[in-house]
Amino acid sequence: MEYRYWRDKIIKAKVIKIWKNVIYLETKDKRKCYLNINDVSDYHVNLNSMFKINSIKEVIVLTIDRNNDLIVSYKNIHPKEIRNPFVFKLDKNNAKFDALLDFTLKGIRYGK
């Protein structure tokens, strides 16, 4: 029951500790949260510049571990941190939008 309550819930948590690959956060009701560097961004980031001790961050709950601590993600609700799988440049010489249509159709097929 508790897992279903927390799963995909967006919460606010305070940054408690920043390590090399993990950020430790805490909810208002003192529940521990763990944010792995892979769930911060698809890009190379400096955790100390993105997260400051005692700052409040909005994260989404991915799962609960066996100690009842929350495993969270930052990038899942902050789209700027997710890498775009497509590269597109509009051809300035041939702006008939065929290339844009092709790109859009590839994106639709990718999402299936």
Side-chain angles (χ1 to χ4, degrees), residues 9-52:
K9 187 172 184 181
I10 297 174
I11 61 170
K12 290 185 179 182
K14 183 179 3 177
V15 177
I16 302 300
K17 189 185 292 185
I18 302 169
W19 282 37
K20 185 176 182 180
N21 294 322
V22 178
I23 298 171
Y24 299 91
L25 302 108
E26 189 175 74
T27 64
K28 194 181 241 185
D29 60 351
K30 304 296 182 195
R31 186 139 195 185
K32 292 180 186 175
C33 305
Y34 297 101
L35 174 60
N36 187 291
I37 192 170
N38 295 331
D39 284 307
V40 171
S41 179
D42 288 342
Y43 307 100
H44 177 72
V45 294
N46 180 343
L47 294 179
N48 289 309
S49 66
M50 278 186 78
F51 296 87
K52 302 291 182 201

